[in-house]
Amino acid sequence: MMKFNDYKYERPNYEEDKAIVEDFIERFNNSKSSDEQIKIMYEMDEYKKTLSTNLNLAFIRHTINTNNEFYKKEQEFLDEYMPHYSILDTKMYEAINNSKFKDQLVEHFGSHLFDLIDCQLIFKEEGVPFKQKENQLITKYNKLIASIQIEFDGKTLTLPQMVPYTQSKDRDIRKSASRKISEFFKDHEKEIDDIFDEMVHVRCDMAKALGFDSYIEYQYKALMRTDYNKEDVEKYREFIRKYVTPVYLKLREKQAKRIGIDDMKAYDTNIMFTDGNAKPHGNRDFIVENAKKMYSELSNETKEFFNFMYDRQLFDLDSKNGKESGGYCTTIEGYNSPFIFANFNGTTGDVEVMTHEAGHAFQAYTSMDGRIIEYIWPTYEACEIHSMSMEFLTWPWMELFFEGETSKFKFAHLDGAISFIPYGATIDHFQHYVYENPNATPEERKKKYHEIELMYRPDLDYDDEFLEKGTWWYRQGHIFDSPFYYIDYTLAQVCAFEFLLKSLKDRKEAFKDYLEICKVGGYKSFFGLMKQGNIENPMNDGVIENILPQLLDILDEIEKDL
């Protein structure tokens, strides 16, 4: 059985690929029937999957070790050539969209493919130099974050390795660890400001070169948002301020009393109980082995999926020097393989990221059934429903990881999920400000960020002059490499709450709906996928408002067991 380390990477050859695509397009345009065009579209799909396999293998191996010289060079190659490949995609999509047999193609592949194609057509030759520069800047930022080494507790630690100290029972340690992290960003303030300032201008110039009035308009299309616009998102953020922020403030008041602190600071929010947060009762191997048991019991489908991942070693979970921070799941289509990347650090986050990314991986595994590449993954906000819901659907097995601390885990998990939503809205609101005001100075951006975060979390007190000036966002990588993605997490979080409520009433029925949306994959839009899974739309007035009291009741019930 071939394992991940044996998966073969080959650098793409752009000139050869260009000739292949030109041949596809010529044969497609000269086709005499829809059947002939459909056959060529499946050939195009195989080509795209082969290309994606190589791109993702290079990406994964570079993020695992940004110091690896071979994959560092491959990443530089991709930064330069990916925009050219995007042009090849555009040309293929243009041919498909202009097909004389378009009605028959819609009947065969479904109308949603053509909604996605409409979004794909925005990128043209004029955007290539801007996209190349943007890629270089993203790599530069990620390399900087991956290089973080902080001297603390007699050790040299990466950013993920600092997290346990920020959750210490000892307030002085929490404060000191938070200050140490802050110092790194302060030392690199000008560098980060310069990277981001250049990013903003490059992105706005690219949008104009491609015929858009603003980068916001361009990026909403690039994210393939076919169901809603920025005005809908703005209205949704208002629901968050109106309904979630007051609940968030009550949760913080209760937390302050629970941990016995009168002057709650931002670094205190990381600790939920005076005797410390729940922690997994074992290391990486312990978590993986118990995840294997959990997924074997959840369903036959999840058992097959996790055994596939386990046997092929499709994980990289340990935090280490040179590794990019965060977690993600991607796919290696040529091997029908999802891949999970994480940075374990001995906190509850290890189990949360494992279940979260496994939700993505399970959906992708379920969707790699021969369908075209556009239909393997849904759009981002829909993707996050699978991941965030999996976190809650696995609650019945949390004792495997936390034993006697399971109630502590569940309480902190749900409290944290609710409390995350105002933060997610903050990041989105800030990005809209940034790209509506591209000529704002770095100092004006930082000042505005602090104003916005206090709109959603008015109790924030960093007790840190550097953070009070509005620099927390420096560490939120999505702002740099995935603009406007972050609101998707909040939308999906509300949908995940619905799955939690369903599962507490009827676990089998909840999983049935969950499995259904995993099978749908990318066949439907965000709104269509929610309808398929019997989920209410978070953007509709009253949805969040109605869910919150039920979540607070669950927290109260869990608290009785603490």
PDB file of all heavy atoms in Angstrom, residues 429-449:
ATOM      1  N   HIS A 429     -15.242  42.552   9.043  1.00  0.00           N
ATOM      2  CA  HIS A 429     -15.536  43.987   9.021  1.00  0.00           C
ATOM      3  C   HIS A 429     -14.260  44.775   8.724  1.00  0.00           C
ATOM      4  O   HIS A 429     -14.258  45.712   7.909  1.00  0.00           O
ATOM      5  CB  HIS A 429     -16.129  44.399  10.373  1.00  0.00           C
ATOM      6  CG  HIS A 429     -16.776  45.738  10.373  1.00  0.00           C
ATOM      7  ND1 HIS A 429     -17.831  46.062  11.199  1.00  0.00           N
ATOM      8  CD2 HIS A 429     -16.516  46.873   9.672  1.00  0.00           C
ATOM      9  CE1 HIS A 429     -18.185  47.321  10.995  1.00  0.00           C
ATOM     10  NE2 HIS A 429     -17.398  47.834  10.073  1.00  0.00           N
ATOM     11  N   PHE A 430     -13.170  44.392   9.365  1.00  0.00           N
ATOM     12  CA  PHE A 430     -11.885  45.066   9.158  1.00  0.00           C
ATOM     13  C   PHE A 430     -11.443  44.957   7.695  1.00  0.00           C
ATOM     14  O   PHE A 430     -10.991  45.941   7.093  1.00  0.00           O
ATOM     15  CB  PHE A 430     -10.831  44.447  10.075  1.00  0.00           C
ATOM     16  CG  PHE A 430      -9.430  44.939   9.832  1.00  0.00           C
ATOM     17  CD1 PHE A 430      -9.098  46.276  10.021  1.00  0.00           C
ATOM     18  CD2 PHE A 430      -8.434  44.062   9.410  1.00  0.00           C
ATOM     19  CE1 PHE A 430      -7.800  46.730   9.790  1.00  0.00           C
ATOM     20  CE2 PHE A 430      -7.138  44.506   9.192  1.00  0.00           C
ATOM     21  CZ  PHE A 430      -6.819  45.845   9.377  1.00  0.00           C
ATOM     22  N   GLN A 431     -11.586  43.785   7.100  1.00  0.00           N
ATOM     23  CA  GLN A 431     -11.152  43.618   5.716  1.00  0.00           C
ATOM     24  C   GLN A 431     -11.978  44.469   4.755  1.00  0.00           C
ATOM     25  O   GLN A 431     -11.451  45.014   3.773  1.00  0.00           O
ATOM     26  CB  GLN A 431     -11.222  42.148   5.315  1.00  0.00           C
ATOM     27  CG  GLN A 431     -10.177  41.298   6.020  1.00  0.00           C
ATOM     28  CD  GLN A 431     -10.200  39.865   5.558  1.00  0.00           C
ATOM     29  OE1 GLN A 431      -9.457  39.476   4.671  1.00  0.00           O
ATOM     30  NE2 GLN A 431     -11.066  39.069   6.150  1.00  0.00           N
ATOM     31  N   HIS A 432     -13.259  44.601   5.041  1.00  0.00           N
ATOM     32  CA  HIS A 432     -14.075  45.484   4.207  1.00  0.00           C
ATOM     33  C   HIS A 432     -13.592  46.926   4.320  1.00  0.00           C
ATOM     34  O   HIS A 432     -13.521  47.648   3.317  1.00  0.00           O
ATOM     35  CB  HIS A 432     -15.553  45.360   4.578  1.00  0.00           C
ATOM     36  CG  HIS A 432     -16.224  44.163   3.976  1.00  0.00           C
ATOM     37  ND1 HIS A 432     -16.146  42.910   4.531  1.00  0.00           N
ATOM     38  CD2 HIS A 432     -16.959  44.025   2.847  1.00  0.00           C
ATOM     39  CE1 HIS A 432     -16.828  42.050   3.777  1.00  0.00           C
ATOM     40  NE2 HIS A 432     -17.323  42.705   2.745  1.00  0.00           N
ATOM     41  N   TYR A 433     -13.258  47.335   5.540  1.00  0.00           N
ATOM     42  CA  TYR A 433     -12.708  48.688   5.705  1.00  0.00           C
ATOM     43  C   TYR A 433     -11.413  48.843   4.900  1.00  0.00           C
ATOM     44  O   TYR A 433     -11.221  49.838   4.193  1.00  0.00           O
ATOM     45  CB  TYR A 433     -12.432  48.990   7.179  1.00  0.00           C
ATOM     46  CG  TYR A 433     -11.529  50.190   7.358  1.00  0.00           C
ATOM     47  CD1 TYR A 433     -12.020  51.492   7.245  1.00  0.00           C
ATOM     48  CD2 TYR A 433     -10.152  50.018   7.579  1.00  0.00           C
ATOM     49  CE1 TYR A 433     -11.172  52.583   7.360  1.00  0.00           C
ATOM     50  CE2 TYR A 433      -9.303  51.105   7.693  1.00  0.00           C
ATOM     51  CZ  TYR A 433      -9.809  52.391   7.582  1.00  0.00           C
ATOM     52  OH  TYR A 433      -8.975  53.465   7.680  1.00  0.00           O
ATOM     53  N   VAL A 434     -10.527  47.875   5.014  1.00  0.00           N
ATOM     54  CA  VAL A 434      -9.216  47.950   4.358  1.00  0.00           C
ATOM     55  C   VAL A 434      -9.361  48.161   2.857  1.00  0.00           C
ATOM     56  O   VAL A 434      -8.715  49.036   2.262  1.00  0.00           O
ATOM     57  CB  VAL A 434      -8.390  46.681   4.644  1.00  0.00           C
ATOM     58  CG1 VAL A 434      -7.188  46.585   3.696  1.00  0.00           C
ATOM     59  CG2 VAL A 434      -7.925  46.667   6.093  1.00  0.00           C
ATOM     60  N   TYR A 435     -10.225  47.353   2.222  1.00  0.00           N
ATOM     61  CA  TYR A 435     -10.311  47.417   0.761  1.00  0.00           C
ATOM     62  C   TYR A 435     -11.280  48.485   0.268  1.00  0.00           C
ATOM     63  O   TYR A 435     -11.283  48.810  -0.928  1.00  0.00           O
ATOM     64  CB  TYR A 435     -10.633  46.032   0.200  1.00  0.00           C
ATOM     65  CG  TYR A 435      -9.473  45.093   0.424  1.00  0.00           C
ATOM     66  CD1 TYR A 435      -9.485  44.157   1.462  1.00  0.00           C
ATOM     67  CD2 TYR A 435      -8.328  45.178  -0.365  1.00  0.00           C
ATOM     68  CE1 TYR A 435      -8.400  43.313   1.691  1.00  0.00           C
ATOM     69  CE2 TYR A 435      -7.236  44.343  -0.147  1.00  0.00           C
ATOM     70  CZ  TYR A 435      -7.279  43.420   0.881  1.00  0.00           C
ATOM     71  OH  TYR A 435      -6.186  42.601   1.107  1.00  0.00           O
ATOM     72  N   GLU A 436     -12.074  49.049   1.161  1.00  0.00           N
ATOM     73  CA  GLU A 436     -12.854  50.245   0.832  1.00  0.00           C
ATOM     74  C   GLU A 436     -11.995  51.495   0.965  1.00  0.00           C
ATOM     75  O   GLU A 436     -12.315  52.549   0.405  1.00  0.00           O
ATOM     76  CB  GLU A 436     -14.080  50.356   1.744  1.00  0.00           C
ATOM     77  CG  GLU A 436     -15.184  49.363   1.394  1.00  0.00           C
ATOM     78  CD  GLU A 436     -16.240  49.256   2.492  1.00  0.00           C
ATOM     79  OE1 GLU A 436     -16.077  49.926   3.543  1.00  0.00           O
ATOM     80  OE2 GLU A 436     -17.219  48.516   2.305  1.00  0.00           O
ATOM     81  N   ASN A 437     -10.894  51.377   1.714  1.00  0.00           N
ATOM     82  CA  ASN A 437      -9.983  52.496   1.959  1.00  0.00           C
ATOM     83  C   ASN A 437      -8.541  52.064   1.697  1.00  0.00           C
ATOM     84  O   ASN A 437      -7.707  52.056   2.608  1.00  0.00           O
ATOM     85  CB  ASN A 437     -10.138  52.993   3.400  1.00  0.00           C
ATOM     86  CG  ASN A 437     -11.547  53.433   3.721  1.00  0.00           C
ATOM     87  OD1 ASN A 437     -11.908  54.572   3.484  1.00  0.00           O
ATOM     88  ND2 ASN A 437     -12.344  52.519   4.260  1.00  0.00           N
ATOM     89  N   PRO A 438      -8.226  51.690   0.461  1.00  0.00           N
ATOM     90  CA  PRO A 438      -6.899  51.115   0.178  1.00  0.00           C
ATOM     91  C   PRO A 438      -5.739  52.078   0.412  1.00  0.00           C
ATOM     92  O   PRO A 438      -4.602  51.626   0.566  1.00  0.00           O
ATOM     93  CB  PRO A 438      -7.003  50.724  -1.298  1.00  0.00           C
ATOM     94  CG  PRO A 438      -8.093  51.582  -1.856  1.00  0.00           C
ATOM     95  CD  PRO A 438      -9.071  51.751  -0.741  1.00  0.00           C
ATOM     96  N   ASN A 439      -6.027  53.370   0.449  1.00  0.00           N
ATOM     97  CA  ASN A 439      -4.952  54.337   0.648  1.00  0.00           C
ATOM     98  C   ASN A 439      -4.768  54.735   2.111  1.00  0.00           C
ATOM     99  O   ASN A 439      -3.976  55.635   2.413  1.00  0.00           O
ATOM    100  CB  ASN A 439      -5.202  55.588  -0.203  1.00  0.00           C
ATOM    101  CG  ASN A 439      -5.104  55.278  -1.690  1.00  0.00           C
ATOM    102  OD1 ASN A 439      -4.215  54.535  -2.116  1.00  0.00           O
ATOM    103  ND2 ASN A 439      -6.014  55.824  -2.468  1.00  0.00           N
ATOM    104  N   ALA A 440      -5.505  54.073   3.004  1.00  0.00           N
ATOM    105  CA  ALA A 440      -5.291  54.321   4.436  1.00  0.00           C
ATOM    106  C   ALA A 440      -3.857  53.936   4.796  1.00  0.00           C
ATOM    107  O   ALA A 440      -3.289  52.995   4.236  1.00  0.00           O
ATOM    108  CB  ALA A 440      -6.278  53.507   5.268  1.00  0.00           C
ATOM    109  N   THR A 441      -3.285  54.652   5.725  1.00  0.00           N
ATOM    110  CA  THR A 441      -1.927  54.334   6.169  1.00  0.00           C
ATOM    111  C   THR A 441      -1.961  53.139   7.112  1.00  0.00           C
ATOM    112  O   THR A 441      -3.016  52.814   7.676  1.00  0.00           O
ATOM    113  CB  THR A 441      -1.311  55.526   6.911  1.00  0.00           C
ATOM    114  OG1 THR A 441      -2.043  55.741   8.132  1.00  0.00           O
ATOM    115  CG2 THR A 441      -1.343  56.787   6.059  1.00  0.00           C
ATOM    116  N   PRO A 442      -0.819  52.485   7.313  1.00  0.00           N
ATOM    117  CA  PRO A 442      -0.781  51.392   8.287  1.00  0.00           C
ATOM    118  C   PRO A 442      -1.281  51.819   9.669  1.00  0.00           C
ATOM    119  O   PRO A 442      -1.977  51.048  10.337  1.00  0.00           O
ATOM    120  CB  PRO A 442       0.701  51.001   8.316  1.00  0.00           C
ATOM    121  CG  PRO A 442       1.176  51.288   6.933  1.00  0.00           C
ATOM    122  CD  PRO A 442       0.455  52.563   6.546  1.00  0.00           C
ATOM    123  N   GLU A 443      -0.952  53.029  10.082  1.00  0.00           N
ATOM    124  CA  GLU A 443      -1.409  53.495  11.395  1.00  0.00           C
ATOM    125  C   GLU A 443      -2.920  53.673  11.418  1.00  0.00           C
ATOM    126  O   GLU A 443      -3.581  53.362  12.413  1.00  0.00           O
ATOM    127  CB  GLU A 443      -0.710  54.814  11.762  1.00  0.00           C
ATOM    128  CG  GLU A 443       0.777  54.665  12.015  1.00  0.00           C
ATOM    129  CD  GLU A 443       1.090  53.572  13.033  1.00  0.00           C
ATOM    130  OE1 GLU A 443       0.453  53.554  14.110  1.00  0.00           O
ATOM    131  OE2 GLU A 443       1.980  52.737  12.764  1.00  0.00           O
ATOM    132  N   GLU A 444      -3.487  54.174  10.323  1.00  0.00           N
ATOM    133  CA  GLU A 444      -4.950  54.331  10.247  1.00  0.00           C
ATOM    134  C   GLU A 444      -5.631  52.971  10.259  1.00  0.00           C
ATOM    135  O   GLU A 444      -6.695  52.802  10.888  1.00  0.00           O
ATOM    136  CB  GLU A 444      -5.313  55.099   8.981  1.00  0.00           C
ATOM    137  CG  GLU A 444      -4.966  56.580   9.056  1.00  0.00           C
ATOM    138  CD  GLU A 444      -5.117  57.290   7.732  1.00  0.00           C
ATOM    139  OE1 GLU A 444      -5.043  56.623   6.661  1.00  0.00           O
ATOM    140  OE2 GLU A 444      -5.292  58.527   7.752  1.00  0.00           O
ATOM    141  N   ARG A 445      -5.031  51.983   9.591  1.00  0.00           N
ATOM    142  CA  ARG A 445      -5.616  50.638   9.601  1.00  0.00           C
ATOM    143  C   ARG A 445      -5.642  50.065  11.016  1.00  0.00           C
ATOM    144  O   ARG A 445      -6.641  49.481  11.450  1.00  0.00           O
ATOM    145  CB  ARG A 445      -4.809  49.692   8.689  1.00  0.00           C
ATOM    146  CG  ARG A 445      -4.995  49.948   7.222  1.00  0.00           C
ATOM    147  CD  ARG A 445      -4.372  48.830   6.388  1.00  0.00           C
ATOM    148  NE  ARG A 445      -4.250  49.287   5.009  1.00  0.00           N
ATOM    149  CZ  ARG A 445      -3.117  49.504   4.384  1.00  0.00           C
ATOM    150  NH1 ARG A 445      -1.968  49.264   4.986  1.00  0.00           N
ATOM    151  NH2 ARG A 445      -3.092  49.924   3.135  1.00  0.00           N
ATOM    152  N   LYS A 446      -4.538  50.209  11.718  1.00  0.00           N
ATOM    153  CA  LYS A 446      -4.458  49.651  13.068  1.00  0.00           C
ATOM    154  C   LYS A 446      -5.461  50.334  14.001  1.00  0.00           C
ATOM    155  O   LYS A 446      -6.135  49.668  14.795  1.00  0.00           O
ATOM    156  CB  LYS A 446      -3.020  49.765  13.595  1.00  0.00           C
ATOM    157  CG  LYS A 446      -2.073  48.754  12.941  1.00  0.00           C
ATOM    158  CD  LYS A 446      -0.637  48.898  13.404  1.00  0.00           C
ATOM    159  CE  LYS A 446       0.088  49.972  12.655  1.00  0.00           C
ATOM    160  NZ  LYS A 446       1.554  49.908  12.826  1.00  0.00           N
ATOM    161  N   LYS A 447      -5.560  51.635  13.879  1.00  0.00           N
ATOM    162  CA  LYS A 447      -6.519  52.368  14.705  1.00  0.00           C
ATOM    163  C   LYS A 447      -7.940  51.897  14.418  1.00  0.00           C
ATOM    164  O   LYS A 447      -8.746  51.689  15.335  1.00  0.00           O
ATOM    165  CB  LYS A 447      -6.402  53.863  14.434  1.00  0.00           C
ATOM    166  CG  LYS A 447      -7.352  54.715  15.269  1.00  0.00           C
ATOM    167  CD  LYS A 447      -7.202  56.198  14.931  1.00  0.00           C
ATOM    168  CE  LYS A 447      -8.201  57.034  15.746  1.00  0.00           C
ATOM    169  NZ  LYS A 447      -8.124  58.478  15.367  1.00  0.00           N
ATOM    170  N   LYS A 448      -8.241  51.701  13.133  1.00  0.00           N
ATOM    171  CA  LYS A 448      -9.588  51.260  12.754  1.00  0.00           C
ATOM    172  C   LYS A 448      -9.856  49.841  13.245  1.00  0.00           C
ATOM    173  O   LYS A 448     -10.985  49.534  13.686  1.00  0.00           O
ATOM    174  CB  LYS A 448      -9.748  51.307  11.231  1.00  0.00           C
ATOM    175  CG  LYS A 448     -11.194  51.138  10.773  1.00  0.00           C
ATOM    176  CD  LYS A 448     -12.068  52.279  11.268  1.00  0.00           C
ATOM    177  CE  LYS A 448     -13.492  52.152  10.779  1.00  0.00           C
ATOM    178  NZ  LYS A 448     -14.333  53.283  11.242  1.00  0.00           N
ATOM    179  N   TYR A 449      -8.853  48.984  13.181  1.00  0.00           N
ATOM    180  CA  TYR A 449      -9.056  47.613  13.668  1.00  0.00           C
ATOM    181  C   TYR A 449      -9.478  47.632  15.136  1.00  0.00           C
ATOM    182  O   TYR A 449     -10.408  46.915  15.528  1.00  0.00           O
ATOM    183  CB  TYR A 449      -7.792  46.762  13.503  1.00  0.00           C
ATOM    184  CG  TYR A 449      -7.996  45.364  14.062  1.00  0.00           C
ATOM    185  CD1 TYR A 449      -8.676  44.414  13.322  1.00  0.00           C
ATOM    186  CD2 TYR A 449      -7.567  45.021  15.349  1.00  0.00           C
ATOM    187  CE1 TYR A 449      -8.915  43.141  13.826  1.00  0.00           C
ATOM    188  CE2 TYR A 449      -7.804  43.749  15.863  1.00  0.00           C
ATOM    189  CZ  TYR A 449      -8.477  42.816  15.102  1.00  0.00           C
ATOM    190  OH  TYR A 449      -8.732  41.573  15.623  1.00  0.00           O
TER     191      TYR A 449
END
